Amino acid sequence: MGEDYFFKGASYKSSYPSVQSAPDDSIPIVVFTGRSNSGKSSLISALCRHKNLAHSSGTPGKTRLLNYFSVPFKKFGLEEIYFVDMPGYGYAKLSSSEKKELRMMVDNFLIQKKDIRLMLVVLDARRNLGEEEKNIILYCKEHHVPFLLVRTKWDTLNQKEKAGVIKNWKAERIYDDCAAVSSLKTTGLNQVAEKIIFSVTN
């Protein structure tokens, strides 16, 4: 992966409990959404070449805030962009009301934020595409929001398992909107970075 594709100099900005409290400054947004323990935090840190930039919560699903990161973007023509780490979904220990509250926050964010340039739907490669991921992808398609399904921890699969996942991508007709990534081995990070740069600058 070329050095130009690392988003160096990124920093944690702040965390917000609601869409209303989040910045409203027309800065382009790249959203990271996915299940608890999907690898979102590791992906953000790897893309920014900053170990532990996005700290994962000690208890999956307990991060219920909109976590903003300021990412310098001068070399691509803009002062900065935001990486926004959304609350993880699907954690069993959350109550029904808590899950509903998180879902409402995510929905409101997607509806109200007009500066979203790309949605990165992050999913552990060892897990199947679920209703949550399918619904987010459908939303993106219906509202013309660019998206990329990022399958993390790709290095944990053997060749037969990888072939099966890719076959499913084709069956779901999303092959061209998928990336196989290993944050640990930096596999596939260039594809994700290129998608970010293209989506923000076009």
Side-chain angles (χ1 to χ4, degrees), residues 36-56:
S36 301
N37 274 348
S38 63
K40 289 188 289 113
S41 298
S42 295
L43 178 61
I44 292 172
S45 296
L47 285 169
C48 297
R49 208 163 180 176
H50 188 313
K51 188 177 180 180
N52 297 325
L53 172 65
H55 294 285
S56 56

Side-chain angles (χ1 to χ4, degrees), residues 44-197:
I44 292 172
S45 296
L47 285 169
C48 297
R49 208 163 180 176
H50 188 313
K51 188 177 180 180
N52 297 325
L53 172 65
H55 294 285
S56 56
S57 172
T59 305
K62 290 299 183 182
T63 302
R64 308 176 197 183
L65 303 171
L66 300 166
N67 301 303
Y68 271 63
F69 300 87
S70 176
V71 182
F73 218 69
K74 285 184 178 179
K75 60 185 175 184
F76 305 113
L78 294 171
E79 188 70 24
E80 67 173 332
I81 64 172
Y82 290 140
F83 282 179
V84 178
D85 184 7
M86 303 285 276
Y89 53 78
Y91 189 55
K93 289 188 178 180
L94 292 179
S95 67
S96 296
S97 60
E98 288 173 324
K99 289 179 181 178
K100 185 177 180 180
E101 186 177 324
L102 280 183
R103 183 73 266 168
M104 191 175 299
M105 177 197 285
V106 172
D107 289 347
N108 288 339
F109 187 89
L110 299 182
I111 292 169
Q112 295 179 33
K113 288 298 180 184
K114 305 303 180 184
D115 298 304
I116 297 174
R117 297 289 185 267
L118 177 65
M119 184 83 68
L120 295 178
V121 184
V122 185
L123 177 64
D124 188 325
R126 297 166 295 185
R127 302 192 64 166
N128 294 324
L129 201 65
E131 286 305 309
E132 288 282 1
E133 289 83 18
K134 290 179 180 179
N135 288 338
I136 292 171
I137 289 171
L138 180 60
Y139 173 90
C140 290
K141 288 181 176 180
E142 290 179 344
H143 293 84
H144 308 291
V145 176
F147 73 92
L148 186 67
L149 176 62
V150 182
R151 299 303 295 268
T152 57
K153 308 176 187 178
W154 192 248
D155 56 298
T156 63
L157 303 185
N158 60 39
Q159 290 304 118
K160 183 178 180 180
E161 290 169 332
K162 289 177 181 177
V165 172
I166 292 172
K167 183 179 179 181
N168 288 339
W169 289 350
K170 293 178 178 178
E172 296 281 351
R173 297 182 179 179
I174 54 173
Y175 178 79
D176 293 334
D177 297 303
C178 294
V181 168
S182 168
S183 298
L184 182 64
K185 297 186 177 181
T186 71
T187 305
L189 292 179
N190 57 333
Q191 182 183 350
V192 179
E194 286 172 358
K195 182 72 172 183
I196 291 171
I197 295 165

